[in-house]
Amino acid sequence: MKGKYSPFRFSPAGLRGLEPSATLVINEKVNKMWAEGKEVYHMGFGESRFPVHPKIAEALRKNAYQHSYLASQGKADLRERIAEFYERHFQIPAHPERIIIGPGSKALIHALFQSLDGELILPTPSWVSYQPQAHLVNKRVNWVPSSPETGYEFTIDALFETIERSRQAWGSPDILLINSPNNPTGRMFDIEFLEELAQFSRQEGLVVISDEIYGLVTHGLKRHRSISRFYPEGSVALGGLSKHLSLGGWRLGVAILPPNRAGAQLMRALRTIASETWSATTAPVQFAALVAYGEDPDVMGYVKECAHLHAIRTQYFWRKLTEMGVRCPQPEGGFYLFPDFLRWREPLARLGVNTSAELAVYLLEKYQLATLPGSVFGAPAEDLSLRLSTSYLDMETPERAQAVLDAYGQGHDPETLMEVYHPNTQIALARFRHFLEHLETMQEKSGVNGAGRRETLEEPVLAGA
Ligand SMILES: Cc1ncc(COP(=O)(O)O)c(C=O)c1O
């Protein structure tokens, strides 16, 4: 009988087992809690919050009347500027013909996965969207293991073993995705490692997709280098405006393809996908991007300033966490931290917390600390790891973001800047401290009373709330 069933039938092919992106879900949850008047310390969403640079805002305003579809590959003069920009900053041999502009690098990653045959190789941990994107195009993922003991170091030996394991099972592990500066660990590859990886990839015939979206958000500890410099014939470098210019909502990403025949073929595939899906990246944004990639000294100075502030905020948070005894690799770029709480596994188990997802829920419910579980980045759930983003704290509104920037402009030293102008960071850290003291007390008690005893615990009294 008609009307019994919904007219909508869903395709299980790509969607089965998938949920909306964990980062966007936590962001919506936090916004809802804020709207209900609840306090939350938001470390779940990685969005650079600095104001739009006035020159770029002005360029967008002036070009609001640009209403025609542009070429699917992107504006030719913008691709020229991007090629010069990448050659100057990262020594990548970039040709405008081999550059494609898309609505965010995320869409370009999806198009690349759709274009290329073969299984994906992902270092553990990796950004939340790679694995689901592979799933959407039916691409198998091979995770390269790493461990918290080594700061989640990605090694050629572990890569080789992963490739061998896949090949033994008749797999074709052909695409390696790397990301430096890294989300979630903040770590960066050094030049020696990239040279070695380039040689290995050439030998194994791998395509390397190199996500370098944080390439201009470094902390001054290492210089960002691109594998495209050492393995140009097999690498695709990705970038965009979202992170170093805080323009995530403008949706402009860039892919730089190899300067050879394979690159030309890949471009044809990407242009086809672009023309049949998003058509072209938003016209006024592409016009404004001419300024963003135009080497204007004010804009470049601003990029440096924002990166420095991310460095101050993220390094401070890292230092305070490690002083509390939390193991966490030192970030070198971006605005993320990836600590693990394995040291407190026993008291956590007695609180009913056995996985990183349970830990994230516990911290949100009991301490109003919004984080993401390491498991959504491919880390084993029982590692009890979390990804913390420092980008939102104390920059929750445009006014607060401006206030942080103004305070920085007054020339305060990093310590004063953090202690005086970052009250929410201080509260979030105080809550972490309180949480850990609570776990330590439980651990001590269990030492006296016998391990594994289940305890009834008082609700935490929150410091600095
Ligand atoms: C590692 C990584 N790659 C890509 C993206 C997406 O960037 P875009 O805004 O260019 O789509 C993000 C955003 O969070 C990211 O963290």
Side-chain angles (χ1 to χ4, degrees), residues 388-441:
L388 314 180
S389 169
T390 59
S391 63
Y392 235 86
L393 285 176
D394 293 298
M395 300 186 80
E396 293 85 353
T397 61
E399 296 74 31
R400 304 200 66 185
Q402 185 63 53
V404 167
L405 199 58
D406 292 345
Y408 174 80
Q410 286 158 16
H412 296 293
D413 64 278
E415 212 66 16
T416 310
L417 190 67
M418 292 311 298
E419 279 165 17
V420 180
Y421 296 93
H422 285 78
N424 285 344
T425 303
Q426 297 301 335
I427 295 174
L429 283 165
R431 288 179 181 219
F432 268 113
R433 199 170 297 116
H434 195 278
F435 169 58
L436 297 174
E437 280 165 7
H438 188 57
L439 297 179
E440 287 288 336
T441 311

Side-chain angles (χ1 to χ4, degrees), residues 268-284:
R268 208 153 67 86
L270 294 178
R271 278 173 57 185
T272 305
I273 293 171
S275 67
E276 301 298 3
T277 51
W278 63 78
S279 294
T281 302
T282 315

Side-chain angles (χ1 to χ4, degrees), residues 43 314-329 337-341 343-344 386 388 390 428-429 431-433 436:
M43 290 163 281
T314 309
Q315 293 293 329
Y316 181 86
F317 213 105
W318 171 76
R319 195 157 41 79
K320 294 290 165 189
L321 274 186
T322 48
E323 280 168 12
M324 290 176 213
V326 177
R327 178 168 59 186
C328 181
L337 298 162
F338 200 69
D340 76 87
F341 294 78
R343 188 177 148 185
W344 296 279
L386 293 177
L388 314 180
T390 59
L429 283 165
R431 288 179 181 219
F432 268 113
R433 199 170 297 116
L436 297 174

Side-chain angles (χ1 to χ4, degrees), residues 91-414:
Q91 296 81 47
I92 295 183
H95 192 277
E97 286 303 305
R98 295 286 187 277
I99 290 179
I100 181 164
I101 295 157
S105 59
K106 200 177 202 174
L108 290 168
I109 296 170
H110 184 80
L112 282 164
F113 285 1
Q114 202 164 30
S115 303
L116 295 167
D117 202 12
E119 297 176 2
L120 184 66
I121 309 164
L122 278 185
T124 307
S126 271
W127 181 47
V128 282
S129 289
Y130 304 139
Q131 194 264 346
Q133 285 209 0
H135 186 110
L136 281 173
V137 296
N138 222 356
K139 199 176 268 313
R140 200 187 152 84
V141 173
N142 300 283
W143 289 95
V144 182
S146 70
S147 93
E149 285 85 32
T150 62
Y152 301 95
E153 193 175 359
F154 173 58
T155 65
I156 307 257
D157 283 349
L159 171 62
F160 179 67
E161 277 168 31
T162 304
I163 290 175
E164 282 297 287
R165 212 174 316 115
S166 167
R167 286 186 183 148
Q168 293 269 326
W170 309 107
S172 48
D174 298 333
I175 310 162
L176 169 66
L177 201 154
I178 55 172
N179 169 220
S180 174
N182 186 268
N183 176 4
T185 65
R187 292 191 63 166
M188 292 172 67
F189 295 132
D190 50 39
I191 194 162
E192 293 79 18
F193 178 79
L194 284 177
E195 280 171 340
E196 209 186 323
L197 184 61
Q199 204 181 336
F200 177 84
S201 303
R202 188 172 288 123
Q203 197 178 299
E204 297 291 328
L206 299 178
V207 167
V208 180
I209 301 179
S210 179
D211 182 345
E212 300 173 19
I213 193 84
Y214 296 94
L216 287 164
V217 188
T218 55
H219 295 184
L221 300 167
K222 267 184 196 162
R223 244 187 100 179
H224 171 66
R225 316 274 187 175
S226 174
I227 191 157
S228 289
R229 196 175 138 192
F230 310 108
Y231 183 43
E233 73 274 26
S235 304
V236 177
L238 290 157
L241 301 180
S242 300
K243 309 298 176 182
H244 63 275
L245 281 166
S246 307
L247 291 173
W250 281 24
R251 311 308 302 130
L252 188 137
V254 167
I256 300 171
L257 313 189
N260 54 13
R261 246 184 92 212
Q265 255 179 315
L266 182 57
M267 181 58 81
R268 208 153 67 86
L270 294 178
R271 278 173 57 185
T272 305
I273 293 171
S275 67
E276 301 298 3
T277 51
W278 63 78
S279 294
T281 302
T282 315
V285 170
Q286 289 201 48
F287 278 87
L290 282 166
V291 177
Y293 284 108
E295 296 292 345
D296 181 292
D298 288 349
V299 173
M300 291 318 291
Y302 187 58
V303 168
K304 276 200 186 137
E305 210 168 85
C306 295
H308 191 208
L309 255 167
H310 280 307
I312 291 173
R313 290 155 49 89
T314 309
Q315 293 293 329
Y316 181 86
F317 213 105
W318 171 76
R319 195 157 41 79
K320 294 290 165 189
L321 274 186
T322 48
E323 280 168 12
M324 290 176 213
V326 177
R327 178 168 59 186
C328 181
Q330 181 173 12
E332 295 157 327
F335 28 81
Y336 304 107
L337 298 162
F338 200 69
D340 76 87
F341 294 78
L342 262 177
R343 188 177 148 185
W344 296 279
R345 185 175 28 203
E346 281 179 18
L348 282 169
R350 278 188 279 137
L351 294 173
V353 173
N354 295 295
T355 64
S356 54
E358 287 165 356
L359 178 60
V361 170
Y362 186 86
L363 285 171
L364 184 60
E365 286 177 355
K366 300 277 190 216
Y367 290 87
Q368 293 76 49
L369 296 172
T371 62
L372 280 180
S375 51
V376 297
F377 297 82
E382 60 280 8
D383 270 8
L384 297 166
S385 52
L386 293 177
R387 194 210 61 181
L388 314 180
S389 169
T390 59
S391 63
Y392 235 86
L393 285 176
D394 293 298
M395 300 186 80
E396 293 85 353
T397 61
E399 296 74 31
R400 304 200 66 185
Q402 185 63 53
V404 167
L405 199 58
D406 292 345
Y408 174 80
Q410 286 158 16
H412 296 293
D413 64 278

